[in-house]
Amino acid sequence: MPAATAPSAAAGRRTLAVLVLIPAVAALALWVFAWPAARIAPRDLPIGVAGPATAADAVERELGRHEGAFEIHRYEDADAARAAIEDRDVYGAVVVTPGGTELLTASAGSPVVAGLLREAVTAQAPAGARVQVTDVVAAPAGDPRGAVLGASLLPLALVGAASGVATVLLGLRGAGAVTTLVGAAALAGLVGAALADSWLGALTGSWWAEAGVLGLTVLAIGSAFAGLVTLLGKPGFGLGAALTILLGNAFSGMSSAPELLPTGVGALGQWLPPGAGGSALRSVSAFDGAAAGGPLLVLSLWAAAGLTATALGSRRRRAEAPTPEPAPAPAPVG
């Protein structure tokens, strides 16, 4: 009887653990994704103001009433403001001219921010005054609301995670593991560019640059997974999923902008592969690569660290593996 009771008790504990763990994970996932979305608001959002000093000062004072919302950059004229938008220094600019107020936006950088600026500037304009809106860098016709670009991050994260997990579970080590991760990422980048650019028209920049960013994003995620699992074992699966799928996507800011997320969340998201990959993809797709250097550096660091951990960790584990003792010699017969 006791022998039969022990397995039953162990099974009961495992069942209880699952019943507690699943709701906890569900609550955590919902919180991570829903909390930033419920707190969308501008926080030190960089925008420009251009025009005669007196008029520009008045605009800056009006915008300053939204405490902590905007980070104001001053420019001499509309041309300088346009250049700053194209370089991704600011999301938009208010230009004061003798003929009235003009708002310069970049819906390719964030359709949500472009709409927010339009509402804010129109609301503070004098009654009856018309605000001319010019979209300096327009979103692609195939993705006017940025929905395709925002939705592409989760599939990229899943593909990267799958490549890392498969590399580990298949027992690939050292150079073989590195070659597999790099090759899978390169192919994923080519397929992604073919779908998002050639088919859907959601990306409109250099095809090869887009494929490179997509591939590097997958490589950063896949190598991070493989490296963490190689070094930590089973806990590496959970840590990799938390960083690249859960937090990485929720904090990326791709559906809005990093500066619209709660303080610190958007900045953290840009240090994780999905957020860095999304920002780099926006830069090469619509802004001729402007401001892509930082995100590409983040992706490269993740990829380099993951590949190094995968290669060296596998070598260390082989060195630490116990050497099987030789079988005892058979006893002499007779």
Side-chain angles (χ1 to χ4, degrees), residues 52-135:
T54 303
D57 287 342
V59 171
E60 186 170 349
R61 283 194 301 272
E62 288 295 326
L63 293 173
R65 292 183 178 180
H66 306 277
E67 187 174 355
F70 301 109
E71 179 185 284
I72 307 298
H73 298 252
R74 294 289 288 266
Y75 299 100
E76 293 184 2
D77 52 31
D79 291 337
R82 283 174 178 268
I85 294 172
E86 292 169 351
D87 291 339
R88 301 204 72 185
D89 293 332
V90 293
Y91 280 92
V94 182
V95 181
V96 184
T97 66
T101 301
E102 181 181 12
L103 172 63
L104 306 179
T105 64
S107 59
S110 171
V112 174
V113 171
L116 183 151
L117 292 178
R118 190 180 302 112
E119 293 176 3
V121 174
T122 303
Q124 73 178 35
R130 178 176 175 273
V131 177
Q132 179 183 349
V133 180
T134 302
D135 202 350

XYZ file of all heavy atoms in Angstrom, residues 52-135:
605
model
N 10.502 82.066 -36.775
C 10.987 83.257 -36.075
C 10.981 83.043 -34.569
O 10.105 82.360 -34.024
C 9.975 84.338 -36.492
C 9.401 83.839 -37.782
C 9.390 82.358 -37.684
N 11.971 83.633 -33.894
C 12.185 83.356 -32.473
C 10.942 83.606 -31.628
O 10.569 82.777 -30.784
C 13.347 84.211 -31.960
N 10.280 84.727 -31.840
C 9.124 85.069 -31.006
C 7.995 84.051 -31.176
O 7.423 83.554 -30.202
C 8.610 86.472 -31.351
O 9.681 87.420 -31.180
C 7.443 86.847 -30.454
N 7.688 83.745 -32.424
C 6.613 82.797 -32.698
C 6.994 81.396 -32.231
O 6.165 80.670 -31.674
C 6.286 82.790 -34.185
N 8.252 81.002 -32.455
C 8.696 79.674 -32.033
C 8.673 79.547 -30.512
O 8.339 78.484 -29.969
C 10.095 79.396 -32.573
N 9.022 80.633 -29.812
C 8.963 80.604 -28.345
C 7.544 80.368 -27.861
O 7.316 79.632 -26.886
C 9.486 81.924 -27.776
C 10.998 82.061 -27.911
O 11.667 81.027 -28.113
O 11.502 83.200 -27.811
N 6.582 80.982 -28.535
C 5.181 80.818 -28.136
C 4.736 79.362 -28.323
O 4.051 78.794 -27.467
C 4.293 81.757 -28.950
N 5.148 78.759 -29.451
C 4.799 77.347 -29.698
C 5.441 76.455 -28.648
O 4.820 75.527 -28.122
C 5.249 76.935 -31.120
C 5.089 75.433 -31.303
C 4.450 77.681 -32.170
N 6.704 76.738 -28.327
C 7.408 75.918 -27.339
C 6.743 76.030 -25.968
O 6.639 75.028 -25.241
C 8.871 76.349 -27.264
C 9.714 75.459 -26.359
C 11.192 75.750 -26.475
O 11.593 76.489 -27.410
O 11.951 75.235 -25.630
N 6.267 77.216 -25.615
C 5.584 77.372 -24.329
C 4.292 76.572 -24.301
O 3.954 75.942 -23.296
C 5.295 78.850 -24.056
C 6.499 79.645 -23.588
C 6.058 80.985 -23.022
N 5.329 81.794 -24.001
C 5.911 82.632 -24.845
N 7.236 82.791 -24.832
N 5.180 83.335 -25.697
N 3.561 76.593 -25.411
C 2.314 75.834 -25.473
C 2.573 74.340 -25.338
O 1.884 73.629 -24.605
C 1.587 76.124 -26.796
C 0.962 77.503 -26.883
C -0.162 77.670 -25.872
O -0.868 76.678 -25.594
O -0.331 78.782 -25.350
N 3.585 73.853 -26.054
C 3.916 72.433 -25.964
C 4.445 72.072 -24.579
O 4.236 70.962 -24.087
C 4.958 72.071 -27.027
C 4.484 72.150 -28.485
C 5.667 71.925 -29.430
C 3.386 71.121 -28.761
N 5.131 73.042 -23.943
C 5.676 72.797 -22.614
C 4.620 72.642 -21.542
O 4.912 72.179 -20.432
N 3.391 73.054 -21.832
C 2.318 72.878 -20.854
C 2.028 71.408 -20.603
O 1.508 71.057 -19.554
C 1.057 73.590 -21.334
C 1.178 75.108 -21.348
C -0.125 75.756 -21.769
N -0.031 77.216 -21.749
C -1.020 78.041 -22.075
N -2.205 77.525 -22.445
N -0.855 79.353 -22.035
N 2.352 70.567 -21.602
C 2.234 69.115 -21.413
C 3.523 68.659 -20.721
O 4.473 68.215 -21.372
C 2.043 68.405 -22.749
C 0.907 68.927 -23.563
N -0.385 68.517 -23.365
C 0.870 69.840 -24.576
C -1.179 69.127 -24.222
N -0.444 69.942 -24.968
N 3.570 68.789 -19.411
C 4.805 68.573 -18.666
C 5.373 67.174 -18.883
O 4.690 66.166 -18.701
C 4.552 68.791 -17.168
C 5.816 68.752 -16.332
C 5.547 69.105 -14.885
O 4.399 69.468 -14.564
O 6.488 68.992 -14.083
N 6.642 67.138 -19.310
C 7.334 65.875 -19.518
C 6.956 65.147 -20.787
O 7.478 64.062 -21.051
N 6.062 65.724 -21.593
C 5.585 65.011 -22.781
C 6.546 65.134 -23.954
O 6.782 64.155 -24.668
C 4.208 65.527 -23.187
N 7.110 66.336 -24.149
C 7.903 66.577 -25.353
C 9.315 67.044 -25.012
O 9.531 67.760 -24.029
C 7.230 67.636 -26.241
C 5.846 67.258 -26.686
C 4.728 67.915 -26.172
C 5.651 66.240 -27.604
C 3.450 67.565 -26.579
C 4.381 65.883 -28.008
C 3.272 66.545 -27.489
N 10.244 66.602 -25.840
C 11.618 67.094 -25.796
C 11.800 67.995 -27.016
O 11.845 67.515 -28.146
C 12.597 65.907 -25.842
C 14.052 66.302 -25.830
C 14.949 65.087 -25.995
O 15.114 64.329 -25.028
O 15.466 64.893 -27.117
N 11.885 69.300 -26.781
C 11.854 70.268 -27.872
C 13.253 70.506 -28.434
O 14.213 70.734 -27.692
C 11.255 71.610 -27.409
C 9.892 71.392 -26.736
C 11.130 72.565 -28.581
C 8.848 70.807 -27.641
N 13.352 70.458 -29.768
C 14.588 70.799 -30.471
C 14.285 71.995 -31.377
O 13.296 71.976 -32.123
C 15.086 69.624 -31.319
C 15.435 68.402 -30.526
N 16.728 67.988 -30.322
C 14.653 67.507 -29.864
C 16.740 66.890 -29.586
N 15.485 66.581 -29.290
N 15.120 73.014 -31.320
C 14.895 74.219 -32.127
C 15.691 74.151 -33.421
O 16.856 73.740 -33.441
C 15.297 75.457 -31.322
C 14.437 75.719 -30.109
C 13.039 76.185 -30.488
N 13.062 77.541 -31.006
C 12.845 78.627 -30.269
N 12.598 78.509 -28.973
N 12.866 79.822 -30.811
N 15.037 74.611 -34.504
C 15.679 74.640 -35.819
C 15.426 75.994 -36.471
O 14.427 76.663 -36.183
C 15.141 73.516 -36.710
C 15.414 72.139 -36.136
C 14.409 71.439 -35.459
C 16.664 71.555 -36.236
C 14.653 70.185 -34.913
C 16.923 70.306 -35.693
C 15.915 69.630 -35.030
O 16.165 68.399 -34.482
N 16.334 76.363 -37.342
C 16.255 77.693 -37.953
C 15.072 77.823 -38.894
O 14.398 78.846 -38.923
C 17.552 78.008 -38.707
C 18.769 78.176 -37.801
C 20.001 78.582 -38.584
O 19.874 78.764 -39.814
O 21.070 78.723 -37.977
N 14.850 76.792 -39.697
C 13.788 76.895 -40.698
C 13.220 75.520 -41.004
O 13.621 74.504 -40.407
C 14.323 77.553 -41.981
C 15.597 76.883 -42.497
O 15.753 75.649 -42.282
O 16.436 77.565 -43.101
N 12.286 75.492 -41.958
C 11.606 74.252 -42.305
C 12.560 73.222 -42.894
O 12.417 72.020 -42.637
C 10.471 74.543 -43.286
N 13.533 73.687 -43.684
C 14.480 72.747 -44.297
C 15.290 72.005 -43.238
O 15.515 70.789 -43.342
C 15.411 73.478 -45.262
C 14.692 73.980 -46.506
O 13.625 73.402 -46.823
O 15.175 74.919 -47.149
N 15.741 72.739 -42.230
C 16.508 72.103 -41.154
C 15.638 71.119 -40.379
O 16.090 70.037 -39.982
C 17.070 73.165 -40.215
N 14.374 71.476 -40.174
C 13.463 70.577 -39.471
C 13.203 69.311 -40.291
O 13.157 68.201 -39.742
C 12.152 71.294 -39.172
N 13.032 69.474 -41.598
C 12.840 68.311 -42.468
C 14.045 67.372 -42.403
O 13.896 66.149 -42.324
C 12.619 68.761 -43.908
C 11.239 69.305 -44.199
C 11.172 69.853 -45.615
N 9.854 70.346 -45.952
C 8.902 69.617 -46.530
N 9.157 68.351 -46.852
N 7.719 70.134 -46.804
N 15.220 67.953 -42.447
C 16.437 67.141 -42.398
C 16.523 66.366 -41.083
O 16.928 65.199 -41.061
C 17.668 68.027 -42.577
N 16.124 66.998 -39.984
C 16.161 66.323 -38.686
C 15.166 65.164 -38.647
O 15.449 64.110 -38.056
C 15.844 67.324 -37.579
N 14.013 65.335 -39.275
C 13.037 64.246 -39.336
C 13.570 63.098 -40.177
O 13.457 61.922 -39.802
C 11.704 64.769 -39.906
C 11.074 65.769 -38.939
C 10.745 63.613 -40.195
C 9.847 66.472 -39.500
N 14.157 63.404 -41.314
C 14.703 62.365 -42.189
C 15.882 61.635 -41.548
O 16.127 60.461 -41.857
C 15.120 62.991 -43.520
C 13.925 63.487 -44.337
C 14.349 64.348 -45.516
O 15.560 64.699 -45.593
O 13.487 64.657 -46.366
N 16.595 62.314 -40.648
C 17.703 61.671 -39.923
C 17.230 60.950 -38.668
O 18.045 60.418 -37.916
C 18.753 62.725 -39.536
C 19.501 63.267 -40.742
O 19.517 62.587 -41.790
O 20.071 64.374 -40.641
N 15.936 60.988 -38.398
C 15.320 60.363 -37.226
C 15.805 60.987 -35.919
O 15.839 60.329 -34.881
C 15.566 58.848 -37.212
C 15.041 58.101 -38.414
C 14.793 56.637 -38.107
N 13.610 56.479 -37.254
C 13.229 55.296 -36.754
N 13.946 54.221 -36.990
N 12.145 55.210 -35.996
N 16.163 62.266 -35.964
C 16.484 62.987 -34.734
C 15.205 63.367 -33.983
O 15.206 63.445 -32.750
C 17.295 64.251 -35.052
C 18.677 63.932 -35.588
O 19.223 62.868 -35.240
O 19.213 64.747 -36.370
N 14.148 63.664 -34.731
C 12.853 64.007 -34.141
C 11.766 63.280 -34.919
O 11.963 62.852 -36.059
C 12.593 65.528 -34.179
C 13.552 66.267 -33.263
C 12.677 66.065 -35.607
N 10.594 63.140 -34.271
C 9.461 62.475 -34.922
C 8.659 63.413 -35.812
O 7.932 62.961 -36.701
C 8.534 61.877 -33.858
C 9.003 60.566 -33.287
C 9.795 60.532 -32.145
C 8.645 59.363 -33.875
C 10.218 59.324 -31.615
C 9.058 58.150 -33.349
C 9.851 58.138 -32.215
O 10.277 56.939 -31.693
N 8.752 64.697 -35.543
C 8.005 65.677 -36.308
C 8.448 67.067 -35.904
O 9.314 67.234 -35.038
N 7.860 68.085 -36.525
C 8.257 69.456 -36.216
C 7.111 70.413 -36.510
O 6.332 70.201 -37.450
C 9.487 69.857 -37.016
N 7.030 71.448 -35.679
C 6.070 72.526 -35.891
C 6.825 73.699 -36.491
O 7.786 74.200 -35.894
C 5.403 72.953 -34.574
C 4.375 74.054 -34.835
C 4.744 71.763 -33.896
N 6.403 74.126 -37.680
C 7.067 75.223 -38.383
C 6.120 76.418 -38.436
O 4.994 76.306 -38.944
C 7.467 74.810 -39.812
C 8.175 75.966 -40.523
C 8.362 73.576 -39.778
N 6.574 77.530 -37.887
C 5.767 78.748 -37.882
C 6.217 79.632 -39.033
O 7.401 79.993 -39.138
C 5.907 79.502 -36.547
C 4.989 80.715 -36.531
C 5.596 78.579 -35.376
N 5.278 79.985 -39.913
C 5.574 80.832 -41.074
C 4.606 82.014 -41.083
O 3.591 82.002 -40.377
C 5.411 80.026 -42.377
O 4.034 79.678 -42.534
C 6.251 78.747 -42.345
N 4.924 83.041 -41.885
C 3.989 84.175 -41.977
C 2.603 83.753 -42.432
O 1.598 84.377 -42.083
C 4.656 85.094 -43.014
C 6.112 84.764 -42.905
C 6.172 83.303 -42.613
N 2.536 82.658 -43.189
C 1.237 82.200 -43.677
C 0.484 81.316 -42.703
O -0.657 80.942 -42.965
N 1.101 80.970 -41.582
C 0.424 80.127 -40.610
C 1.347 79.046 -40.071
O 2.575 79.131 -40.199
N 0.759 78.044 -39.495
C 1.518 76.961 -38.861
C 1.494 75.715 -39.746
O 0.440 75.332 -40.269
C 0.926 76.609 -37.488
O 0.963 77.773 -36.663
C 1.716 75.491 -36.822
N 2.659 75.108 -39.906
C 2.767 73.859 -40.657
C 3.327 72.780 -39.738
O 4.293 73.006 -39.006
C 3.679 74.017 -41.876
C 3.791 72.738 -42.704
C 4.721 72.888 -43.900
O 5.449 73.906 -43.940
O 4.725 71.993 -44.764
N 2.710 71.624 -39.762
C 3.184 70.484 -38.976
C 3.830 69.474 -39.910
O 3.198 69.013 -40.866
C 2.023 69.831 -38.222
C 2.348 68.512 -37.508
C 3.385 68.729 -36.409
C 1.088 67.877 -36.942
N 5.085 69.146 -39.638
C 5.805 68.126 -40.400
C 5.800 66.835 -39.581
O 6.166 66.846 -38.409
C 7.238 68.568 -40.670
C 7.433 69.934 -41.339
C 8.923 70.238 -41.504
C 6.712 69.976 -42.681
N 5.372 65.745 -40.198
C 5.332 64.464 -39.505
C 6.108 63.420 -40.308
O 6.571 63.685 -41.415
C 3.884 63.982 -39.309
O 3.289 63.751 -40.607
C 3.062 65.000 -38.541
N 6.217 62.235 -39.729
C 6.850 61.096 -40.401
C 6.079 59.851 -40.000
O 6.436 59.165 -39.039
C 8.322 60.971 -40.025
N 5.013 59.563 -40.722
C 4.193 58.408 -40.360
C 4.955 57.099 -40.517
O 4.600 56.091 -39.893
C 2.912 58.375 -41.203
O 3.221 58.309 -42.588
N 6.027 57.101 -41.321
C 6.844 55.895 -41.450
C 7.578 55.594 -40.151
O 7.887 54.434 -39.856
C 7.851 56.052 -42.587
N 7.868 56.624 -39.365
C 8.523 56.425 -38.080
C 7.574 55.923 -37.028
O 7.950 55.133 -36.165
N 6.319 56.364 -37.078
C 5.275 55.886 -36.167
C 3.967 56.565 -36.539
O 3.806 57.765 -36.298
C 5.612 56.192 -34.703
O 4.498 55.896 -33.884
N 3.035 55.818 -37.133
C 1.732 56.416 -37.439
C 1.024 56.919 -36.188
O 0.300 57.912 -36.247
C 0.962 55.254 -38.082
C 2.013 54.340 -38.626
C 3.156 54.450 -37.654
N 1.236 56.269 -35.055
C 0.593 56.695 -33.809
C 1.113 58.063 -33.388
O 0.338 58.947 -33.008
C 0.830 55.660 -32.693
C 0.289 56.169 -31.358
C 0.192 54.330 -33.056
N 2.427 58.253 -33.453
C 3.009 59.546 -33.084
C 2.557 60.629 -34.052
O 2.251 61.755 -33.644
C 4.543 59.457 -33.046
C 5.157 60.842 -32.888
C 4.992 58.559 -31.900
N 2.500 60.318 -35.340
C 2.049 61.304 -36.325
C 0.634 61.768 -36.007
O 0.336 62.971 -36.053
C 2.120 60.707 -37.729
N -0.244 60.844 -35.657
C -1.608 61.222 -35.293
C -1.655 62.017 -34.000
O -2.425 62.972 -33.866
N -0.829 61.626 -33.032
C -0.787 62.338 -31.749
C -0.330 63.782 -31.947
O -0.915 64.716 -31.376
C 0.141 61.596 -30.802
C 0.304 62.100 -29.378
C 0.632 60.929 -28.452
C 1.414 63.146 -29.261
N 0.691 63.990 -32.747
C 1.179 65.351 -32.999
C 0.130 66.175 -33.727
O -0.043 67.378 -33.449
C 2.472 65.303 -33.812
C 3.701 64.732 -33.102
C 4.899 64.704 -34.047
C 4.037 65.546 -31.868
N -0.564 65.546 -34.651
C -1.608 66.272 -35.388
C -2.686 66.761 -34.426
O -3.137 67.916 -34.507
C -2.212 65.354 -36.452
C -3.139 66.071 -37.431
C -3.697 65.105 -38.462
N -2.636 64.460 -39.208
C -2.323 63.158 -39.133
N -3.011 62.374 -38.317
N -1.350 62.654 -39.850
N -3.082 65.924 -33.508
C -4.111 66.317 -32.536
C -3.607 67.413 -31.599
O -4.315 68.381 -31.313
C -4.546 65.099 -31.725
C -5.282 64.044 -32.530
C -5.603 62.814 -31.702
O -5.299 62.833 -30.488
O -6.143 61.841 -32.256
N -2.365 67.257 -31.116
C -1.833 68.216 -30.153
C -1.658 69.598 -30.768
O -2.015 70.616 -30.156
C -0.500 67.713 -29.600
N -1.099 69.648 -31.970
C -0.834 70.942 -32.603
C -2.127 71.600 -33.059
O -2.306 72.826 -32.931
C 0.139 70.763 -33.788
C 0.312 72.066 -34.548
C 1.489 70.266 -33.278
N -3.065 70.824 -33.569
C -4.351 71.372 -33.995
C -5.129 71.928 -32.804
O -5.777 72.982 -32.893
C -5.188 70.297 -34.701
O -4.454 69.780 -35.817
C -6.510 70.868 -35.188
N -5.040 71.240 -31.662
C -5.783 71.681 -30.478
C -5.279 73.004 -29.935
O -6.063 73.792 -29.376
C -5.694 70.604 -29.396
N -3.978 73.284 -30.076
C -3.444 74.514 -29.512
C -3.444 75.669 -30.511
O -3.098 76.796 -30.159
C -2.008 74.293 -29.024
C -0.972 74.151 -30.127
C 0.423 73.995 -29.566
O 0.622 73.390 -28.530
N 1.402 74.563 -30.259
N -3.855 75.406 -31.760
C -3.921 76.478 -32.766
C -5.078 77.423 -32.440
O -6.084 77.010 -31.848
C -4.103 75.879 -34.155
N -4.956 78.701 -32.796
C -6.048 79.649 -32.558
C -7.326 79.207 -33.253
O -7.290 78.509 -34.268
C -5.507 80.967 -33.158
C -4.025 80.801 -33.161
C -3.769 79.340 -33.395
N -8.448 79.589 -32.687
C -9.740 79.213 -33.257
C -9.845 79.696 -34.698
O -9.559 80.857 -35.007
C -10.873 79.805 -32.410
N -10.236 78.775 -35.575
C -10.387 79.112 -36.985
C -9.112 79.019 -37.782
O -9.149 79.083 -39.017
N -7.968 78.895 -37.121
C -6.697 78.804 -37.839
C -6.531 77.400 -38.416
O -6.896 76.401 -37.782
C -5.538 79.127 -36.913
N -5.970 77.321 -39.590
C -5.769 76.035 -40.266
C -4.308 75.614 -40.132
O -3.408 76.413 -40.376
C -6.149 76.154 -41.740
C -5.926 74.875 -42.546
C -6.417 75.056 -43.980
N -6.101 73.894 -44.786
C -4.951 73.735 -45.432
N -4.017 74.690 -45.370
N -4.729 72.650 -46.162
N -4.101 74.384 -39.725
C -2.750 73.850 -39.608
C -2.486 72.933 -40.800
O -3.183 71.929 -40.990
C -2.564 73.064 -38.295
C -1.177 72.449 -38.234
C -2.806 73.965 -37.091
N -1.508 73.303 -41.603
C -1.149 72.461 -42.745
C -0.272 71.300 -42.261
O 0.703 71.509 -41.542
C -0.391 73.278 -43.789
C 0.037 72.464 -45.002
C 0.851 73.285 -45.988
O 0.922 74.513 -45.869
N 1.474 72.612 -46.957
N -0.605 70.087 -42.650
C 0.140 68.903 -42.235
C 0.839 68.304 -43.446
O 0.203 68.038 -44.467
C -0.785 67.846 -41.589
C 0.022 66.619 -41.175
C -1.517 68.437 -40.393
N 2.151 68.109 -43.320
C 2.950 67.511 -44.390
C 3.644 66.270 -43.859
O 4.367 66.336 -42.865
C 4.013 68.500 -44.904
O 3.361 69.701 -45.366
C 4.809 67.882 -46.042
N 3.400 65.152 -44.503
C 4.026 63.890 -44.112
C 5.367 63.784 -44.842
O 5.417 63.430 -46.017
C 3.120 62.713 -44.463
C 3.439 61.468 -43.647
O 4.471 61.470 -42.957
O 2.654 60.496 -43.702
